[in-house]
Amino acid sequence: MVKDVTEQAALVRRGDVSALELVDAAIARLAEKRELNVLVHEQFEAARAEAARPLRDGPLAGVPFLLKDLGQAQAGVPERMGSRALRDHVAAETAWTVERYLAAGLIICGRTNTAEFGNHCATEPALFGRTLNPWRPELSPGGSSGGSAAAVAAGLIGAASGSDGTGSIRMPAACCGLVGLKPRRARSSFAPSAGVALDGLSTTHALTRSVRDTALLLDVIAGSAPGDPFPPPPPARPFVQEVGADPGRLRVLRLEEPPFPGTPDPRVQAVADHAARTLEDLGHHVVSGVLSFDPEVVRRAISVIHAVDNAATFTWLLEELGRRPEPDELDPVTWDMLNEGLELTALDHISAIDDLHAQARRLASVFASADILLCPTLNVLPPPPGALSSSRGSVDAFFDVEFASTGATAVANATGWPAITLPLGEVDGLPVGVQMMALEEAVLLRVAAQLEEAVPWADRHPNGFADV
């Protein structure tokens, strides 16, 4: 199985392998497993040319990498964002995070499949078709970062980028048996095109197989660009130094029930309960409880923000295309969101933001008596295609269905807290993720590293992909 990016970088530094050898091997794996439909744009020849040149002086020099085809623009490279309306679109500028990846020495081999504009926790865009879950092809790999998740889970690449607006890193990580961290709000920059994304709901990071890779890649993209509106407090030290650091004895709140309407599969809940017992065995204090907030207000606020964001995207499309998109050029859910967004008022929008912030303050009261919240990442096992990508007739109804499956993931987006999912179990041969939320990434990384050692997953792979 492909080594994690930390080890790949070490091999290149020691001279045990060349960057070109790593890139050629990654390209061969990606080409061999095209049936998974993880790539929507191949940059193989450009990657080979980059690997043959003198390497940049970065911590990941010579390591192959994939970019999600949404929010990770690279100037001169096609960027379709999962939309038929953008099938001919080429990015005019490079995202700040991509600049950071390139400066770290990563070599971009291609772009991964995503839901249209990240609107679904699924990866089934009409433009490119659905990505398959390497654990079981008839099931979804999750989304919207599903192309990245499937590529990493299948061992085609060591790590790949993603983004997370209601769970779009953590949800596919759970479906594909990976580590998925949503950083705290504003941990990285949306420069040069934006100050925030989805009014602060969305953040950017990566999908990996190891906690140390998650920490290292967070160090790569952490920081603020000049002019960013809400730079976060800098970390006390590099995030990689938190991996293996003693977290002390922490107070862990095990959530007794999902924060939004929906019932966890008992088998999924059992994996989270086992994780709670493992944390007790590691010396942490675990109690059970619930979150105090109004889930209906939060769900409605998220619906409004997504609808308004899609309306803004529609306005941009009119300018970009010079015409109105044809009915079949946008997915039904996108039309639902943008049509509702165009009917909302400025007062609706600002009220949704105010409501979200008010509920976040209520939710934050939990940290007066807890350091970490623990729960299943999802209420369900990996769902079938269509389960989370179909139009429900309204944006509210769409998110009711999504949140019934994704459990507590949207809480971290609403509050801005960091959250991490770890592949701590299996049910019927399918991976199950357990989620932790805290106020700082450092706390999550310390405890995640403890759990990685106590319940290792490095040798757990989808059937048929262990020796890719």
Side-chain angles (χ1 to χ4, degrees):
M1 195 67 177
V2 66
K3 299 181 183 297
D4 71 0
V5 297
T6 301
E7 179 60 21
Q8 288 183 51
L11 290 171
V12 173
R13 284 195 298 271
R14 293 196 301 264
D16 295 340
V17 68
S18 71
L20 185 56
E21 287 173 318
L22 282 182
V23 167
D24 278 340
I27 289 172
R29 291 190 297 268
L30 289 162
E32 181 184 357
K33 297 297 180 180
R34 281 196 174 95
E35 71 271 15
L36 289 177
N37 196 30
V38 299
L39 286 186
V40 297
H41 177 70
E42 298 175 358
Q43 294 170 240
F44 292 170
E45 293 312 310
R48 287 190 175 107
E50 180 68 22
R53 289 191 280 267
L55 298 178
R56 302 191 188 207
D57 184 20
L60 290 166
V63 175
F65 192 68
L66 297 175
L67 296 174
K68 180 179 180 178
D69 195 32
L70 178 69
Q72 299 286 288
Q74 191 173 6
V77 175
E79 180 193 28
R80 282 72 169 248
M81 308 181 203
S83 179
R84 284 164 291 179
L86 292 174
R87 56 189 173 273
D88 299 320
H89 178 252
V90 175
E93 56 188 8
T94 299
W96 186 86
T97 48
V98 175
E99 294 282 11
R100 298 294 290 259
Y101 286 139
L102 295 172
L106 289 167
I107 297 177
I108 310 304
C109 294
R111 303 180 68 82
T112 62
N113 203 10
T114 179
E116 184 172 66
F117 307 129
N119 280 335
H120 318 135
C121 277
T123 305
E124 306 156 15
L127 176 62
F128 293 114
R130 73 180 187 93
T131 294
L132 307 186
N133 189 325
W135 289 85
R136 197 166 296 171
E138 68 271 21
L139 298 178
S140 172
S144 60
S145 308
S148 290
V152 177
L156 311 185
I157 202 80
S161 76
S163 55
D164 192 312
T166 57
S168 286
I169 286 175
R170 290 159 291 151
M171 194 274 183
C175 288
C176 292
L178 302 175
V179 180
L181 171 70
K182 183 200 84 69
R184 67 172 288 168
R185 183 172 293 155
R187 175 57 70 198
S188 188
S189 177
F190 285 97
S193 60
V196 295
L198 278 174
D199 290 317
L201 291 177
S202 187
T203 56
T204 296
H205 192 28
L207 295 104
T208 75
R209 285 197 54 83
S210 67
V211 175
R212 66 179 185 176
D213 275 5
T214 290
L216 178 55
L217 285 163
L218 186 57
D219 279 325
V220 167
I221 65 165
S224 300
D228 276 354
F230 309 114
R237 57 184 175 178
F239 289 112
V240 289
Q241 294 182 16
E242 305 298 348
V243 179
D246 183 4
R249 187 171 190 262
L250 299 177
R251 302 166 298 171
V252 179
L253 178 69
R254 171 195 163 275
L255 295 187
E256 294 177 343
E257 59 187 42
F260 300 100
T263 303
D265 184 316
R267 300 167 297 174
V268 169
Q269 184 64 57
V271 174
D273 293 344
H274 182 264
R277 292 192 295 272
T278 302
L279 289 174
E280 283 187 312
D281 293 341
L282 291 168
H284 302 294
H285 177 62
V286 180
V287 299
S288 297
V290 297
L291 295 173
S292 176
F293 77 115
D294 189 329
E296 173 62 20
V297 171
V298 170
R299 199 268 306 131
R300 177 57 186 164
I302 289 173
S303 295
V304 169
I305 289 169
H306 273 78
V308 169
D309 186 76
N310 273 266
T313 298
F314 180 70
T315 301
W316 172 76
L317 282 173
L318 295 177
E319 299 174 356
E320 185 72 17
L321 301 175
R323 59 176 176 82
R324 180 185 175 87
E326 297 295 330
D328 66 348
E329 287 185 304
L330 299 176
D331 289 347
V333 170
T334 299
W335 282 114
D336 290 345
M337 290 187 176
L338 73 86
N339 284 330
E340 288 193 27
L342 292 170
E343 293 177 358
L344 292 166
T345 67
L347 182 59
D348 293 327
H349 186 200
I350 195 63
S351 295
I353 295 171
D354 288 344
D355 286 346
L356 198 70
H357 293 171
Q359 293 300 314
R361 290 190 174 92
R362 287 185 60 186
L363 282 158
S365 65
V366 71
F367 288 112
S369 57
D371 302 300
I372 283 181
L373 311 182
L374 181 140
C375 60
T377 306
L378 307 177
N379 289 341
V380 298
L381 294 173
L388 299 179
S389 61
S390 300
S391 170
R392 308 293 172 180
S394 74
V395 183
D396 284 341
F398 176 83
F399 280 112
D400 280 339
V401 173
E402 179 179 304
F403 290 178
S405 294
T406 58
T409 59
V411 167
N413 302 92
T415 59
W417 303 336
I420 194 169
T421 180
L422 304 175
L424 294 180
E426 286 187 21
V427 170
D428 293 341
L430 293 170
V432 174
V434 176
Q435 180 175 223
M436 295 184 293
M437 292 177 272
L439 291 177
E440 295 294 339
E441 297 100 332
V443 175
L444 294 177
L445 291 168
R446 292 175 205 146
V447 178
Q450 279 191 319
L451 286 168
E452 186 176 30
E453 183 175 354
V455 191
W457 56 77
D459 295 329
R460 196 185 304 149
H461 309 291
N463 288 336
F465 290 94
D467 300 315
V468 170

